[in-house]
Amino acid sequence: MKISEIIKNKRTLSFEVFPPKKYDEEIDKLFTTIKELKSFNPDFISVTYGAGGTNRKSNAEIAGFLKKLGIEPLAHITGGPSTHKEIDEIIVNLKKQDVENILCLRGDKPLDFNDEYCKEFKNATDLISYLNDRDLDIAAACYPEGHKEADSLYADLKYMKMKEDLGAKFFVTQIFYDNEYYYRLVSEARKIGIKSPIIPGIMPLLNPKSIKRTQEMCGSTIPLGFRNQLEFFKDEPSLFREVGLNYAVAQIQDLIAKGAPGVHIYVMNNAQTAKEIYQRLENVFKKLF
Ligand code: FAD
């Protein structure tokens, strides 16, 4: 089913998983995780795609596994490392698995960025315009704090609008820890005529290492008050995890109360994280999703 159709009728709960690095050794573990995630009734689960384009086979396989399990997959595709021919092959593979929803991305430029990267698809917009006639629901990424390479939030919003005009039916946001960035993005997006649902992406910070990783990868700001709490509990792993989970739950509650169309949780292949969030919000999810 097309996710844009699901969103028309209800709030969505969704998760993100990624293909494991040691695919053959760890794929069964991921499949077990996915079965556990199913018990929380997600409306869809997204599957990431390596920026270097290395895991294109596993991305389709995992999407196929989701589909067979009765969970709608949202398959990420990064245009940056790919040729048109490779993208055609990816789509053939995804269609074989009956995948109907894709998240079109450019992908992060590698540190040793050379002209080969982004040669055929310079931006997500190129990928969207290449794929917008394939009977697939297209989603795209957006950035509550602006994309790190953009001159400003407003410059970035211009391309968000272009993504919608070219065929993106809904957006999933980058991680953020201050909901005000999300509300500002939605408000500014509406002002320039972007009408599609903007699903907030939430990733709980569960250990001290994840702070550095999240900031390096996503550049998301961690508000001082929250940062101070994390700092205070940094030598108490279980309390640190508790603080991170509670913060994510508070973010989700606030987002729902203020009308977000759903919530996308970056669970990092960890069903326990989903479970702990779900249990804290079970009645909210059951009643309002
Ligand atoms: P773009 O939309 O191309 O934007 C990149 C930059 O170019 C921005 O500064 C933007 O303002 C600008 N821009 C956009 N369009 C144009 C245009 N037409 N002309 C000129 N400038 C333009 N990475 C992965 O490798 N694999 C994944 O599976 C993955 N999943 C993600 C899921 C989500 C929800 C998000 C938010 C990010 C994900 N990423 C993933 C990271 C993503 O690839 C990076 O953030 C990347 O740097 C930008 O991708 P994009 O699709 O937003 O690029």
Side-chain angles (χ1 to χ4, degrees):
M1 184 172 188
K2 301 264 168 49
I3 293 171
S4 62
E5 292 301 316
I6 303 175
I7 305 179
K8 273 184 198 158
N9 299 315
K10 70 187 286 291
R11 276 199 182 84
T12 54
L13 171 63
S14 53
F15 302 117
E16 178 184 286
V17 298
F18 56 87
K21 272 210 177 95
K22 294 179 187 162
Y23 190 76
D24 293 334
E25 290 165 44
E26 294 171 6
I27 188 63
D28 287 340
K29 192 168 162 226
L30 177 62
F31 287 160
T32 304
T33 299
I34 289 173
K35 285 181 191 156
E36 287 166 10
L37 291 175
K38 188 177 186 221
S39 62
F40 311 120
N41 286 322
D43 295 286
F44 65 93
I45 291 185
S46 77
V47 187
T48 68
Y49 187 95
T54 44
N55 62 2
R56 70 180 60 123
K57 192 166 153 266
S58 48
N59 173 278
E61 261 175 40
I62 297 165
F65 180 81
L66 284 161
K67 191 83 191 179
K68 284 191 192 87
L69 209 61
I71 303 172
E72 212 46 65
L74 172 63
H76 298 202
I77 305 179
T78 54
S82 312
T83 60
H84 288 80
K85 191 165 170 270
E86 284 164 342
I87 293 292
D88 288 338
E89 285 164 11
I90 291 164
I91 297 299
V92 168
N93 284 334
L94 290 174
K95 290 238 174 192
K96 273 188 201 153
Q97 308 286 353
D98 293 326
V99 171
E100 294 177 78
N101 304 283
I102 54 172
L103 176 62
C104 286
L105 300 144
R106 182 197 71 189
D108 267 325
K109 290 181 183 172
L111 291 177
D112 58 346
F113 172 64
N114 59 37
D115 289 344
E116 288 305 306
Y117 197 82
C118 293
K119 200 172 176 189
E120 299 200 16
F121 296 95
K122 291 202 170 359
N123 288 102
T125 44
D126 297 332
L127 187 60
I128 296 171
S129 77
Y130 187 60
L131 294 177
N132 63 10
D133 59 355
R134 313 280 178 112
D135 190 25
L136 290 161
D137 229 15
I138 294 179
C142 63
Y143 300 84
E145 298 183 57
H147 184 263
K148 58 191 169 196
E149 292 162 31
D151 289 340
S152 68
L153 175 68
Y154 300 96
D156 207 24
L157 274 160
K158 188 176 83 183
Y159 296 117
M160 188 177 166
K161 173 85 168 78
M162 199 186 285
K163 290 178 186 184
E164 183 182 72
D165 290 343
L166 287 167
K169 298 261 174 50
F170 65 99
F171 291 91
V172 182
T173 77
Q174 181 59 284
I175 298 159
F176 57 91
Y177 294 95
D178 180 342
N179 288 0
E180 293 308 320
Y181 289 124
Y182 171 79
Y183 302 131
R184 180 185 63 180
L185 175 81
V186 174
S187 156
E188 296 302 323
R190 301 302 176 228
K191 278 186 206 161
I192 61 163
I194 296 170
K195 295 190 177 66
S196 308
I198 301 172
I199 302 178
I202 295 294
M203 189 173 91
L205 284 172
L206 301 177
N207 57 64
K209 270 193 207 150
S210 60
I211 301 180
K212 194 163 174 272
R213 205 176 48 225
T214 304
Q215 288 196 302
E216 278 169 5
M217 274 172 53
C218 315
S220 313
T221 306
I222 302 175
L224 189 61
F226 180 37
R227 182 179 273 279
N228 285 340
Q229 291 173 29
L230 294 172
E231 177 65 24
F232 183 81
F233 290 107
K234 73 175 188 305
D235 298 322
E236 299 280 354
S238 62
L239 297 182
F240 188 102
R241 188 179 164 82
E242 189 83 6
V243 169
L245 282 168
N246 289 341
Y247 191 85
V249 166
Q251 273 193 285
I252 295 171
Q253 274 174 189
D254 184 62
L255 288 162
I256 295 167
K258 295 196 177 126
V263 60
H264 188 65
I265 308 177
Y266 297 92
V267 291
M268 305 302 286
N269 290 4
N270 187 335
Q272 182 61 25
T273 303
K275 185 177 177 184
E276 288 180 60
I277 292 177
Y278 189 86
Q279 282 175 337
R280 285 165 165 82
L281 287 167
E282 186 164 2
N283 292 332
V284 173
F285 285 134
K286 282 189 174 156
K287 194 155 185 176
L288 298 179
F289 277 64

